[in-house]
Amino acid sequence: MASQPQINPKKQQELQLQYTNFKNTLQQMAQKIGDMEQEGEEHRLVIETLEPLPKERKCFRMVNGVLVERSVADVLPALKTNSDGLKQVLEEMLKQYKSKQTELDGWKKKNNIQVVQP
């Protein structure tokens, strides 16, 4: 029975730390992506609710923690702009996540890392 070569404990600890950092970074990115998706969905629902309403109808919008009264005609363009911005940021975050995932996969291959799930 051939045994696997032993790894220096210090090197093993260093690799474990790097792996943990990769996983934590990916987890944080996934959390932010989830938050962005939820916010985008909220914007979409509000836009769908406001679009059929008369443009002069009053509505309320939270701006920097202050509730302000506006008309649908004032709020709708701002919501659409924010929604488009969220979509762009989300796309960029997804690219960054995929890039980091690819970097992790390359690192695991380079260092011959095999993850064992308990």
Side-chain angles (χ1 to χ4, degrees):
M1 214 161 61
S3 64
Q4 294 184 353
Q6 292 296 316
I7 298 177
N8 173 346
K10 186 169 180 126
K11 175 76 171 169
Q12 185 176 2
Q13 189 177 10
E14 184 180 306
L15 290 173
Q16 180 66 41
L17 183 61
Q18 289 174 345
Y19 178 76
T20 302
N21 286 339
F22 270 118
K23 293 305 270 185
N24 287 342
T25 300
L26 286 171
Q27 186 176 15
Q28 289 172 352
M29 291 174 82
Q31 179 66 41
K32 287 179 184 177
I33 289 170
D35 292 345
M36 295 291 288
E37 287 175 339
Q38 183 178 359
E39 194 169 336
E41 180 64 17
E42 289 173 4
H43 275 70
R44 185 188 65 76
L45 288 172
V46 173
I47 289 170
E48 286 178 1
T49 302
L50 291 179
E51 280 181 330
L53 298 177
K55 301 300 178 205
E56 66 279 351
R57 182 173 174 167
K58 77 174 163 180
C59 63
F60 295 89
R61 180 173 184 214
M62 185 74 72
V63 178
N64 295 328
V66 178
L67 196 61
V68 294
E69 182 179 330
R70 299 279 187 247
S71 69
V72 171
D74 294 335
V75 171
L76 207 49
L79 279 174
K80 288 180 180 179
T81 301
N82 288 352
S83 181
D84 292 342
L86 283 171
K87 287 176 187 173
Q88 290 175 347
V89 170
L90 183 59
E91 287 174 13
E92 185 61 36
M93 289 179 77
L94 286 170
K95 287 178 189 175
Q96 290 175 2
Y97 182 86
K98 288 177 185 174
S99 171
K100 196 65 158 174
Q101 182 68 49
T102 303
E103 184 182 339
L104 172 61
D105 292 342
W107 177 84
K108 284 179 6 184
K109 193 170 194 172
K110 175 185 165 202
N111 291 294
N112 197 23
I113 304 293
Q114 296 178 352
V115 179
V116 178
Q117 296 295 332

